[in-house]
Amino acid sequence: MNKGILRRCILGAVFAVAVTVFGLLMNKTNQDMTTEMGEATLPTLSLYYQEEEINQLYAYTQEMNAGYMRDSITPVDTNRVLPICIRAGQYTVDGISYEIRSMDTSRLIASSKVDEYNQQDGNITANLTIQNLIDRNQEYLLIISLTHQDQQIYYYTRIMEPEGCYVGDAIDFALDFHEKTFQEEGYKTLSTYIEPDASADNSTLAEVSIHSSLKQIAWGDFDGKPQGKPNISIKEINSSYNVINLDYVVTATGEDGGMEYYNVEEYFRLRYSQERMYLLDYKRTMNEIFRADGVSFVGNAIDLGIGNNNPEYKSNENGNYVCFVVEGDLWCFCAEDEKLTQVFSFRNFEGIEDRENHMEHDIKVIKVDETGSTDFVVYGYMNRGNHEGQVGICVYHYDSVVNTVEEELFIPSTHSYEVLKSELGQLMYENEAGEFFLMMDGILYQIDLASLEITKLVEGLDSDSYAVSSNNQYIAYVENGDENLSAPIQVLNFETKKSFEISGGEGKCVRPLGFIDNDFIYGEMEASRVYTDQAGNIRYPMSDIYIVETESADHQVLKDYHKDGYYVESIEVEDYTIYLNRKTFNGFYYVDAEGDTIMNREGEALSAVTIESSVSDRKETETYLAINGYTEINSKRFLTPQQILLERDTTIALAEPEPEEYYYAYAAGKLVAASDNTAQVIREADEYAGVVLGGSQQYIWKRAKKNSQSTIEVSVSDTDAGSNSVARALNAMAGVENVNISAENLLKEGQTPAQILEDNLQDVQVLDLSGCDVENVLYYVNLSTPVFAMDGGNHAVLIVGYDSSNVRIFNPDTGEVTKMSLTDARDTFTQAGNVYLAYLKE
């Protein structure tokens, strides 16, 4: 054979072998570098009350701040035996123990190991013996621990031995009501309990209430079936009412024959009397779980189905890629390539499993680039994967070119998902330089994702001293603004890390208010008009509002607003409209005035993506994500990315907020508000028929109160006999606690009424309730403590009693108690600015 030919054959064979070996090595390397998300492994734990399974709990792999873990409350029967069931599956349990603590966790009531338990078919049953150390109708924390090899996992619930609360009857009623909504004829008996009126929207199944029509309560024309028995979760127990939640999955057959899945939650607030059960409130929410096998497109829109009314979404600059979040899953759609990607989900594709479907996390889309690659954050409880059983903040990068998801950072938290969500303030941003910015507890952090180095950029910011743009790229803040009225506003661009400054004119001060897109909104006022109200709050009556362009070099003013005689107290931005909350000055104090608006129609027209809706007979109102710039869209490819294996530990720790600084409003077991502003949290709790708790989990406010409170005996001592009404009212208030003060002298020293009460009353918590309604503050009168109120000018009174239609007012000038109708009291105190002070005995 010709040697040249032979040489070429040998070289060709060597090359072929080399390519094959190289390919195998590369495939091996690629396989080693990516993986699928790990399966859920941790057991769930349920408790029992009167043979009914209730309060399914999820495992935590680290000890949590137990005071914040108040998702459910478990009634203990009179025999003080609490049965539990652990759905362990393949997870081996080597030991079970539990402890009972006071709600602030400071006092250990009992601690014990469980020596006897039964195991069968992956389930473990046991009885917890609750010792005779708990008082009836008193809440305690129950912490159950499981040992697995060298790992400890924890479950949290509140417990109570209820007396006169009829919890079992409430559970039975809720289950019966739930079942009858699915019955062809049985639903008609529910008309006794509902209160249909015009306030309900009977064109949507996403939100049904006690005010909906009977047909709507019975699911309209939607033919769905519950998947198994609902999970019963008890949220509140007291002698006035019980709150019961039922959550479950509903399935239905779609128009294309495919299976549809929906997360449903029912909320019951129930009161029992000797005659019957009263349904005080009822709500049902329904959200479709978006699945690739059942996705439909209508024109230029993606059908998100029932619910999902306000999805998190973000598009790239061109608008051809859009990422959106539906029921805890992140999706990315490319209109040009007709490609749909499920970027992140805790759910598997086969059915719906409780642990994977646990909805205690959120996803925030930070940025989408021109290729569809996306930076996003998952925060809350991690159902599965690297951090299963932990609560925290996880920063990810999705690379659409190679179809992988990489974890860049994990920040664990010992606070519950609900509390963590309230602490974050939604400021999360990652720039092109690989730096992550986060606001927590008034501290602005910068974290280098390569080195995990942490830098504190600004500290000591409160909610009124900064504003963040909707895309989180900009923050505007004032440092030490309350102490230094001339302090300028700093506007920082996280992408470029450049900032500019805004100062007021001579004798004026400025405050950050918000953003409309990336345009900054701030207020300006005369420094001489800034004042401190009777409760010690600093008020900023703004005479001028400015909208400034942040992205231009000269930061020109795009719009200014001024109307003589009106002062803006705060703003709200919604759908390119700025709502101005205004006041006027009547010569003595600032009173509420009619609001005003500033509109920006141009911004709305420029949106690459809009939320739309339409109504059908079967599913009623459905939500659509419209991709503007396209007339028809579709999906011909469906992708699920692999996760890149971690080559290093991405975990860092940040200091968590101190609990004493915040108040928390809970309703239906969910945190609806958290703030250091007591009145704001009480208003939120009142709207949702909830409760307010302090940082040590003590009750601050409840909607439930006695029908009437007899007049609290108060009097002014000789110390302040010749003083003004404010001093006399404070003196009388202190006298209720047998404390004699010279309030006039303390006021002359510059102390506020709130400071005077805080410094002189022992073992009480003084609360600034300014901004509440008079009905809200009657809760404290119900506790036999007077409430300080301003009723006009600089005149103060005490609220010392009430009945169903009147309040009793103590006038410190005359020493007399007079009756005033609730309507007149509401008008009087509102005109005076709704300034109130109260206290709670500790």
Side-chain angles (χ1 to χ4, degrees), residues 340-353:
L340 180 66
T341 305
Q342 187 182 54
V343 177
F344 186 93
S345 177
F346 285 129
R347 298 185 184 93
N348 270 314
F349 291 104
E350 298 299 325
I352 303 294
E353 200 265 345

Side-chain angles (χ1 to χ4, degrees), residues 369-533:
D369 71 12
E370 68 277 3
T371 69
S373 294
T374 305
D375 296 316
F376 65 98
V377 177
V378 180
Y379 60 96
Y381 180 86
M382 305 296 164
N383 298 359
R384 52 187 276 225
N386 295 332
H387 306 288
E388 181 186 3
Q390 287 185 276
V391 172
I393 304 160
C394 206
V395 182
Y396 290 98
H397 176 74
Y398 164 60
D399 189 325
S400 69
V401 178
V402 295
N403 197 35
T404 57
V405 170
E406 180 178 8
E407 179 184 312
E408 298 178 309
L409 175 69
F410 181 69
I411 306 170
S413 173
T414 61
H415 293 178
S416 69
Y417 153 70
E418 298 278 2
V419 173
L420 173 67
K421 183 178 180 179
S422 72
E423 292 165 349
L424 282 176
Q426 292 296 292
L427 196 171
M428 291 177 274
Y429 189 81
E430 182 180 343
N431 65 17
E432 292 295 332
E435 295 166 323
F436 182 67
F437 300 87
L438 171 73
M439 175 76 79
M440 182 177 282
D441 193 28
I443 302 173
L444 178 58
Y445 292 97
Q446 174 187 304
I447 303 166
D448 187 296
L449 294 176
S451 66
L452 300 184
E453 181 182 351
I454 304 168
T455 304
K456 294 180 180 180
L457 297 180
V458 190
E459 297 185 61
L461 296 178
D462 59 46
S463 57
D464 296 326
S465 64
Y466 71 91
V468 180
S469 63
S470 59
N471 67 355
N472 282 207
Q473 184 178 338
Y474 290 87
I475 184 172
Y477 61 90
V478 175
E479 289 189 83
N480 302 316
D482 288 346
E483 290 79 21
N484 181 13
L485 293 180
S486 62
I489 298 172
Q490 305 291 334
V491 183
L492 172 62
N493 182 341
F494 291 129
E495 196 60 56
T496 64
K497 295 178 69 176
K498 294 181 179 179
S499 64
F500 65 92
E501 197 174 273
I502 296 175
S503 299
E506 185 176 349
K508 296 185 177 182
C509 56
V510 289
R511 300 294 290 181
L513 295 176
F515 285 82
I516 187 161
D517 281 341
N518 284 341
D519 296 328
F520 173 51
I521 310 164
Y522 74 94
E524 184 180 65
M525 72 224 78
E526 299 286 343
S528 59
R529 283 201 172 269
V530 177
Y531 68 98
T532 302
D533 66 20

Side-chain angles (χ1 to χ4, degrees), residues 183-224:
Q183 295 173 2
E184 191 170 340
E185 292 295 326
Y187 79 91
K188 295 177 182 177
T189 64
L190 303 179
S191 61
T192 306
Y193 303 102
I194 64 175
E195 304 167 7
D197 62 34
S199 66
D201 181 356
N202 287 312
S203 67
T204 178
L205 291 168
E207 295 181 7
V208 174
S209 75
I210 194 172
H211 302 298
S212 299
S213 69
L214 184 59
K215 181 180 179 181
Q216 205 68 3
I217 296 280
W219 304 89
D221 294 323
F222 179 79
D223 185 20

Side-chain angles (χ1 to χ4, degrees), residues 155-169:
Y155 301 84
Y156 299 86
T157 184
R158 292 171 289 150
I159 61 170
M160 174 195 286
E161 183 183 351
E163 183 177 40
C165 298
Y166 305 99
V167 182
D169 297 285

Side-chain angles (χ1 to χ4, degrees), residues 560-781:
D560 61 278
Y561 172 94
H562 172 90
K563 290 194 176 178
D564 289 341
Y566 288 92
Y567 302 90
V568 176
E569 184 178 51
S570 61
I571 71 163
E572 296 169 26
V573 180
E574 185 178 338
D575 295 333
Y576 293 95
T577 300
I578 305 169
Y579 296 90
L580 307 174
N581 300 314
R582 304 188 305 173
K583 288 184 177 290
T584 57
F585 186 65
N586 66 6
F588 295 100
Y589 43 84
Y590 291 89
V591 296
D592 290 337
E594 185 181 359
D596 204 351
T597 57
I598 303 173
M599 308 185 76
N600 180 9
R601 293 297 185 194
E602 293 179 9
E604 195 166 7
L606 295 173
S607 297
V609 180
T610 52
I611 305 297
E612 299 177 356
S613 64
S614 70
V615 179
S616 65
D617 290 337
R618 184 176 77 91
K619 296 172 73 171
E620 299 187 4
T621 301
E622 297 181 66
T623 302
Y624 291 84
L625 202 64
I627 317 297
N628 299 323
Y630 295 85
T631 55
E632 282 296 324
I633 60 172
N634 209 334
S635 173
K636 295 181 179 178
R637 286 194 294 159
F638 171 62
L639 301 176
T640 54
Q642 291 284 94
Q643 290 201 341
I644 294 178
L645 285 169
L646 292 177
E647 295 183 313
R648 61 169 186 153
D649 186 4
T650 64
T651 303
I652 65 169
L654 297 180
E656 296 190 285
E658 292 297 323
E660 290 79 12
E661 298 176 2
Y662 275 79
Y663 300 100
Y664 303 90
Y666 287 91
K670 294 182 173 61
L671 184 68
V672 295
S675 173
D676 55 2
N677 185 317
T678 325
Q680 176 187 331
V681 177
I682 289 174
R683 290 196 303 271
E684 290 284 345
D686 186 42
E687 181 179 352
Y688 296 101
V691 298
V692 176
L693 285 90
S696 299
Q697 295 303 293
Q698 75 279 25
Y699 280 99
I700 299 296
W701 182 87
K702 297 179 183 180
R703 208 180 196 195
K705 64 179 187 294
K706 293 178 293 192
N707 292 329
S708 64
Q709 169 64 48
S710 58
T711 302
I712 302 164
E713 294 295 329
V714 294
S715 61
V716 181
S717 73
D718 293 340
T719 312
D720 278 309
S723 306
N724 61 30
S725 64
V726 173
R728 292 167 67 89
L730 292 170
N731 179 287
M733 201 169 183
V736 174
E737 299 303 319
N738 298 315
V739 175
N740 188 22
I741 59 173
S742 174
E744 183 179 31
N745 290 336
L746 296 172
L747 289 168
K748 287 178 179 178
E749 292 172 6
Q751 292 192 41
T752 66
Q755 287 176 310
I756 292 171
L757 295 176
E758 286 171 357
D759 292 345
N760 291 278
L761 299 188
Q762 301 299 313
D763 300 322
V764 303
Q765 183 175 2
V766 177
L767 301 168
D768 171 16
L769 305 177
S770 299
C772 285
D773 294 329
V774 65
E775 289 91 340
N776 299 148
V777 305
L778 294 183
Y779 170 73
Y780 302 95
V781 183

